[in-house]
Amino acid sequence: MAAPRIVVVGAGPAGTRAAEALVSSGIRPVVIDEAARSGGQIYRRQPPNFKRGYEKLYGFDAQKALGLHQCFDGFGDDIDYRPETSVWNVRDRKLYTVCRNRSGEVEFDAAIFATGATDRLAPVKGWTLPGCFSLGGSQIALKAQACSIGKRVAFFGTGPLLYLIAYQYAKAGVDVAAVIDTSPFANQAKAIPLLAARPSLLARGLYFRAFLASKRIPVHSGARSVEIVGSDRVRAVIVRTAGKTFEIETDAVGTGFHLRSENQLADLAGCSFLFDHLTQQWRPNIDQDGRTDRAGIYLAGDGARILGADAAETAGRLAAIGAMRDLGLPQSEDEIRRLRRQMQRFERFRKGLLVAFPWPEALAREATDDVLVCRCEAITVGSLRQTAVHEDALELNRAKAFSRVGMGRCQGRFCGSAAAEIVAAARDVNLADVGRIRGQAPIKPFPGGIDEEVAA
Amino acid sequence: MEASQRQLIRLGETNRQEVIVVVDGRNVGALEGDTLLTAVLVQAGRLRVSEFGDGSRAGFCLMGACQDCWMWTADGRRIRACTTFVAPGLSVLTYPKEGVWPLPE
């Protein structure tokens, strides 16, 4: 029998460990990654001519980052590595790719999508001003380009990344004006029993808070709303908490509310989705090993469910082992049980994070009509509300068709969570009932001018 | 592009080879390993003007997902500034040649 054709999409923690498990079983997978170098986002590498060491770049996670990069670099010819390549569609066990200006196709018996996540965003007034970046973007500027997003930076949002990135900026010597968290401080105390599933990460979170305090960086918890003000660039943020409203001068804002999965390929492959009440988001329906309900399609890492980088490594291994077992290649049952137990611990911690840092639904629901919900085409919250009511758009894809919110070039990645809240609130229905924006190929815009691959 | 308008601040890694790129017809000194986004925003306050009439934009996600950092090449192609690395001869515009939406009749 010919060796099964297994393809891994993504070369972050999940994709790297999936490839490692496949290689160690004698399979030569195709590994497709958008980036020029492996690592994904959290372990993103700096350009080769940068000189900073791992300790400086990855802090507490330096050894993990090094281990993951060395693992990938060690594959050599054991994998068919295709960097700088985007998968833009999947159909009938075939992936459609584009690399620079060249299109391509990859047929597979099993595909593991380890496509990661982006920041989950909520629209606030002024969030399209130059100087406002996502939290993930703020971190990339620092790690991959050795730049700060501004001279004096405020961070606004919620979730573990908010504190991690504020800490990284402060440690790099940047003037951090404030950390503004929509989650009430009491939630974080309430979450401690669940967060104790991973004591070292809990300790790290507490350390970040203590570090910010030691630098006298104000942390405002329980923010009700934020407005970013300025003319053609960020000048200040106006913060409203339960008791007061105040202004903080700043020339840059990093914002984000935890993460959302990049799950468009699972969607295009026809995998079913379920509504996750903890995150208030739809996600692909997978079993404990990452199997979807479509034969041959597996998901691993934050692209399936937001569990973080450590869980992504475990999930990558599990998905690869599951795929090989389904193809009739015997796997160690002890190893499967061990990895599944690890995933249970990560799942408990995930629940803790969601108690500590809930998605602030009110931010979108109560946004004023003049706020831009769609960054791509500058469409206002008011326009979307009008559509929901007057075009009888009770369902998100109908609202998208009439308002164009979600139809722009980010394809709903940065407006989707908020758009669902706005439509649900305008029509007074449950969030789950408005559905989710369907994935459409190509899942990212093409560069101009693609050459078709012509069979010789 | 006035220095006082710069958005990004370099914190280190400045001992790199200089690369000249062209932005709106003017030579801009960048460093090898810079993305186009970095090269522009360490000297200016914006990457582009929104085609939808809502003002300047300077990118957002920096990971190739939000598409907020599109710039235009001199021959009219679009490129993502956050995933494009600088190279000698790269020439870009901060505005679409055909104008800002809605286009004049």
Side-chain angles (χ1 to χ4, degrees), chain A residues 41 47 49-52 128 130-134 137 140 142 145-151 232-233 251-252 372 375-378 409-410 414 444-445, chain B residues 4-13 16 32-35 38 45 48 51-52 54 56-68 70 78:
Chain A
Q41 298 304 343
N49 59 334
F50 283 52
K51 302 276 190 281
R52 293 168 298 172
T128 55
C132 181
F133 296 91
S134 75
I140 289 167
L142 190 64
Q145 293 283 283
C147 286
S148 164
I149 58 168
K151 282 198 269 302
D232 223 36
R233 68 178 305 172
D251 69 340
L372 297 182
R375 299 177 58 88
C376 298
E377 300 191 4
R409 49 208 172 203
C410 88
F414 292 82
K444 277 191 186 175
Chain B
S4 63
Q5 286 296 303
R6 78 172 88 106
Q7 183 62 52
L8 296 191
I9 309 294
R10 290 196 196 276
L11 300 173
E13 298 283 0
R16 285 178 277 145
E32 189 184 2
D34 281 354
T35 62
T38 299
R48 67 177 180 113
E51 307 94 307
F52 296 90
D54 61 307
S56 300
R57 296 292 184 91
F60 187 68
C61 81
L62 273 62
M63 58 180 85
C66 77
Q67 322 298 330
D68 195 64
W70 282 9
R78 299 176 312 227

Side-chain angles (χ1 to χ4, degrees), chain B residues 4 12 20 46 48 51 62-63 74-75 89 92 95 97 99 101:
Chain B
S4 63
I20 303 290
R46 72 169 189 219
R48 67 177 180 113
E51 307 94 307
L62 273 62
M63 58 180 85
D75 59 1
V92 294
Y95 52 88
K97 263 183 170 170
W101 190 264

Side-chain angles (χ1 to χ4, degrees), chain A residues 119-135 156 226-230 234 236-237 253-257 359 363 367 370-381 405 410 412-419 422, chain B residues 54 56-61 66 68:
Chain A
D119 295 276
R120 188 180 190 188
L121 268 306
V124 296
K125 204 165 176 182
W127 73 309
T128 55
L129 280 172
C132 181
F133 296 91
S134 75
L135 277 177
F156 165 55
V226 156
E227 182 181 337
I228 303 169
V229 293
V234 174
V237 291
V253 176
T255 183
F257 301 82
W359 159 249
L363 213 57
D370 57 341
V371 171
L372 297 182
V373 56
C374 162
R375 299 177 58 88
C376 298
E377 300 191 4
I379 303 163
T380 62
V381 170
V405 172
C410 88
R413 287 173 172 85
F414 292 82
C415 60
S417 285
I422 292 162
Chain B
D54 61 307
S56 300
R57 296 292 184 91
F60 187 68
C61 81
C66 77
D68 195 64

Side-chain angles (χ1 to χ4, degrees), chain A residues 75-95:
Chain A
F75 291 145
D77 201 40
D78 291 340
I79 65 170
D80 176 351
Y81 178 37
R82 305 193 187 175
E84 293 184 80
T85 303
S86 293
V87 177
W88 60 271
N89 197 10
V90 53
R91 243 182 110 178
D92 302 333
R93 302 214 177 191
K94 196 190 277 184
L95 299 179

Side-chain angles (χ1 to χ4, degrees), chain A residues 20 72 103 141-142 159 173 183 213 262 272 408:
Chain A
E20 183 189 31
F72 198 93
S103 70
L142 190 64
S183 301
E262 282 284 289
S272 71

Side-chain angles (χ1 to χ4, degrees), chain A residues 34-55:
Chain A
E34 270 185 357
R37 309 187 75 194
S38 79
Q41 298 304 343
I42 201 77
Y43 300 129
R44 179 187 270 262
R45 302 197 208 196
Q46 59 189 1
N49 59 334
F50 283 52
K51 302 276 190 281
R52 293 168 298 172
Y54 273 78
E55 292 293 335

Side-chain angles (χ1 to χ4, degrees), chain A residues 99-366:
Chain A
C99 174
R100 296 176 183 214
N101 296 334
R102 299 286 298 172
S103 70
E105 297 175 2
V106 179
E107 291 189 45
F108 62 83
D109 299 304
I112 299 164
F113 298 146
T115 42
T118 67
D119 295 276
R120 188 180 190 188
L121 268 306
V124 296
K125 204 165 176 182
W127 73 309
T128 55
L129 280 172
C132 181
F133 296 91
S134 75
L135 277 177
S138 308
Q139 194 186 43
I140 289 167
L142 190 64
K143 257 184 344 199
Q145 293 283 283
C147 286
S148 164
I149 58 168
K151 282 198 269 302
R152 181 172 156 82
V153 184
F155 293 103
F156 165 55
T158 199
L161 272 182
L162 180 67
Y163 294 92
L164 168 66
I165 294 167
Y167 160 78
Q168 289 173 329
Y169 265 71
K171 196 151 187 283
V174 178
D175 180 7
V176 177
V179 175
I180 305 151
D181 190 340
T182 51
S183 301
F185 185 68
N187 279 52
Q188 286 154 49
K190 214 160 54 183
I192 284 178
L194 287 165
L195 295 175
R198 302 181 67 189
S200 64
L201 278 194
L202 173 58
R204 204 186 283 184
L206 297 171
Y207 174 78
F208 294 154
R209 294 289 295 244
F211 184 89
L212 295 171
S214 77
K215 298 282 176 191
R216 305 203 185 291
I217 294 167
V219 175
H220 305 286
S221 297
R224 297 281 177 85
S225 72
V226 156
E227 182 181 337
I228 303 169
V229 293
S231 146
D232 223 36
R233 68 178 305 172
V234 174
R235 181 185 62 74
V237 291
I238 300 169
V239 182
R240 192 167 63 83
T241 61
K244 53 186 176 175
T245 300
F246 51 97
E247 187 171 307
I248 300 167
E249 269 189 51
T250 178
D251 69 340
V253 176
T255 183
F257 301 82
H258 216 45
L259 302 173
R260 54 159 287 283
S261 299
E262 282 284 289
N263 50 31
Q264 296 87 352
L265 289 177
D267 198 4
L268 292 177
C271 303
S272 71
F273 279 54
L274 56 82
F275 189 74
D276 184 333
H277 289 276
L278 282 175
T279 60
Q280 297 283 293
Q281 282 177 302
W282 291 85
R283 64 175 166 87
N285 187 6
I286 53 170
D287 75 1
Q288 57 185 337
D289 299 340
R291 271 180 207 87
T292 68
D293 53 5
R294 287 283 161 166
I297 305 288
Y298 303 80
L299 309 180
D302 282 351
R305 212 160 26 139
I306 307 301
L307 289 166
D310 294 345
E313 292 192 43
T314 302
R317 288 193 178 97
L318 254 182
I321 289 171
M324 289 189 287
R325 192 162 76 161
D326 293 348
L327 287 163
L329 304 167
Q331 302 296 315
S332 156
E333 296 300 319
D334 284 348
E335 175 70 353
I336 292 173
R337 276 192 292 274
R338 189 182 71 82
L339 295 170
R340 284 177 181 167
R341 274 197 303 276
Q342 282 181 15
M343 290 306 286
Q344 284 162 9
R345 195 161 62 89
F346 294 134
E347 174 63 27
R348 187 171 163 78
F349 187 78
R350 173 182 96 109
K351 289 185 176 141
L353 284 181
L354 292 166
V355 171
F357 306 110
W359 159 249
E361 57 172 33
L363 213 57
R365 287 171 179 250
E366 292 165 13

